[in-house]
Amino acid sequence: MKGFSALFKKELREQVKTHRLLIVLAVFLVLGMGTPLMLYYLPSIVNTSEGTQLPIPDFTAADVCSEFLGSIAQIGMVVVILVAMGSVSRERERGTALLTLSKPVGRGAFIAAKLAALAVTFEFSLIISAMFCYLYTYILFDGVGGSAFASATALAGLFLLLCISVTLLCSSIFKSAFAAGGLALLIIVVLWGLSAIPNIGPYAPMGVLVWGSSLILGGGAASWGSAGISAGLAAAFAVGAWQALARKEI
């Protein structure tokens, strides 16, 4: 893909220069370290506050890891939208996209470089935060299966990749970053809502999160259909972003 390598390096530098990588990593680290600490100290904090005695169950390592991945999915989705919603639209608005595309690079490479750089930012942050979560959980709670947690983390990473692709598509459609973010949120919420439909739910993209949680909790059937559809949709939205930009006047 013509110009991809140069654009990818440029996008990675932008992720560092604009502190997006640092911000995403910081948010994910708060979740990674904060979740096991919060669940470990929650009973003592609640029950020593003004003599209150509430029936709080004893959390297990599986509960902690499942809660962490759930938080990553929900908060990570919002962070993806906030970080990626201006990736294309802001460059079109400022005219920097025209400057970049006037060089010998294709629009497909332009979108692919942004997708790859954002994926590196979020997947790297997810891996680091998951490592800290696993370490804190191992210290504070009983052990949890490392392979199951790693697989569940990979499934959460697939969900984040889908969110990135959706947001890139919306950013390619609109010149307004806020409009792009609003549409991306709507699409992701609709995709999430499909999991509540009985015959569609097992194959809905959000089924990967259910599968990941079941892996950690030690039960549940594999949902390869949901994983395949999620990966396919991520690719389709990325291609859609390329085609949307190809039809736009820069």
Side-chain angles (χ1 to χ4, degrees), residues 28-43 59-61 63-69 71 129-141 149:
F28 279 31
L29 277 177
V30 168
L31 296 176
M33 294 184 289
T35 301
L37 287 172
M38 179 187 70
L39 293 184
Y40 182 78
Y41 288 108
L42 182 62
F59 296 106
T60 65
D63 294 328
V64 175
C65 294
S66 181
E67 180 66 24
F68 162 70
L69 291 173
S71 300
S129 64
M131 290 172 61
F132 273 95
C133 178
Y134 188 84
L135 176 63
Y136 276 52
T137 303
Y138 183 82
I139 294 172
L140 299 175
F141 298 85
F149 183 66

Side-chain angles (χ1 to χ4, degrees), residues 54-81:
L54 297 177
I56 298 178
D58 293 329
F59 296 106
T60 65
D63 294 328
V64 175
C65 294
S66 181
E67 180 66 24
F68 162 70
L69 291 173
S71 300
I72 283 289
Q74 296 173 33
I75 298 176
M77 173 189 71
V78 176
V79 177
V80 164
I81 293 173

